[in-house]
Amino acid sequence: MNASKTPPQGPAAAANAADWRIDRERAVALFGAHAHDWPIEIVEETGSTNADLMTRVKALPRKAGVLPRPIVRVAYLQTAGRGRRGRAWYAEPGNALLFSVACVLPRPLEGLAGLSLAVGVALVDGLRSLPVAGPGQIALKWPNDVLLEGDKLAGILIETAWSTESASAVVIGIGTNVKGADELAAKIGALNADAPPQARGTVPTALQRALPNANLTDTLAAELNALEPALQR
């Protein structure tokens, strides 16, 4: 992962300067009535938003209702971002939406068997709610990938902080490639050059492929608005 904290340079970056950072006011205006109330933290850089929230919720009392609303933590850069099976998540600052949601659900761990699928379906619904070309081309590859025309658009990582007979604290990490598909594919290709085909995974793509003016703000609002009712259910 690129460790730079500065935004991408060059003519293309200058043309999209307004999209480099999340516009908090616009995001709040786009949030639905319920997601609007979620605490949302936005930081420049961290190791992993999942790890940050895991540390926090592990310190909570282990009982239902201890976290009235989910907490959202967004980072422009994750220096230790990871996906399923410990795979690294690579993203240039400003090109990917990287965030985690911490919540306490009123169910024991065995009652959360469908959580990954529910989150995946919600994520697909949220992305399809954007004015993308051919929304049907966005689909879920169970259990944790969202594809655009067969290429990887987003990934999901769900971790359990603790669980009791009445409640479970979980952290849901989501990474969505919004821009820079060509640069990302080149980076992943170079890293996988010596890896066997079966270990290379799905080719990455970006939302910009189906939505030329894709940006972090609208994508965040769309995904959180879709996650809120899914977590309620």
Side-chain angles (χ1 to χ4, degrees), residues 170-230:
V170 300
V171 175
I172 303 164
I174 296 175
T176 306
N177 299 321
V178 177
K179 304 178 184 180
D182 293 342
E183 297 93 326
L184 180 60
K187 173 74 171 178
I188 300 298
L191 291 168
N192 288 337
D194 297 327
Q198 64 271 22
R200 294 178 185 177
T202 310
V203 175
T205 191
L207 185 60
Q208 198 172 44
R209 174 170 160 186
L211 181 62
N213 63 343
N215 61 78
L216 303 187
T217 303
D218 291 15
T219 307
L220 175 64
E223 293 184 357
L224 292 186
N225 283 337
L227 282 172
E228 191 279 331

Side-chain angles (χ1 to χ4, degrees), residues 10 33 59 63 97 130 139 150 153 183 194 213:
K63 58 183 181 180
L97 175 62
L130 295 166
L153 175 63
E183 297 93 326
D194 297 327
N213 63 343

Side-chain angles (χ1 to χ4, degrees), residues 71-97:
I71 299 171
V72 181
R73 186 168 174 84
V74 186
Y76 292 113
L77 174 66
Q78 293 192 56
T79 56
R82 65 195 191 282
R84 193 163 170 260
R85 296 178 181 173
R87 294 190 180 104
W89 180 277
Y90 298 96
E92 295 290 336
N95 280 352
L97 175 62

Side-chain angles (χ1 to χ4, degrees), residues 89-107:
W89 180 277
Y90 298 96
E92 295 290 336
N95 280 352
L97 175 62
L98 309 171
F99 72 93
S100 298
V101 179
C103 54
V104 175
L105 303 176
R107 292 189 183 188

Side-chain angles (χ1 to χ4, degrees), residues 82-182:
R82 65 195 191 282
R84 193 163 170 260
R85 296 178 181 173
R87 294 190 180 104
W89 180 277
Y90 298 96
E92 295 290 336
N95 280 352
L97 175 62
L98 309 171
F99 72 93
S100 298
V101 179
C103 54
V104 175
L105 303 176
R107 292 189 183 188
L109 187 60
E110 56 268 25
L112 296 179
L115 181 61
S116 179
L117 182 58
V119 170
V121 170
L123 188 56
V124 168
D125 288 344
L127 290 167
R128 285 179 175 176
S129 74
L130 295 166
V132 295
Q137 295 297 323
I138 298 176
L140 178 66
K141 179 185 176 182
W142 192 84
N144 69 317
D145 286 346
V146 174
L147 306 182
L148 171 60
E149 297 181 353
D151 296 334
K152 184 168 180 175
L153 175 63
I156 302 163
L157 177 64
I158 299 178
E159 298 180 290
T160 304
W162 50 260
S163 183
T164 69
E165 292 183 357
S166 61
S168 298
V170 300
V171 175
I172 303 164
I174 296 175
T176 306
N177 299 321
V178 177
K179 304 178 184 180
D182 293 342

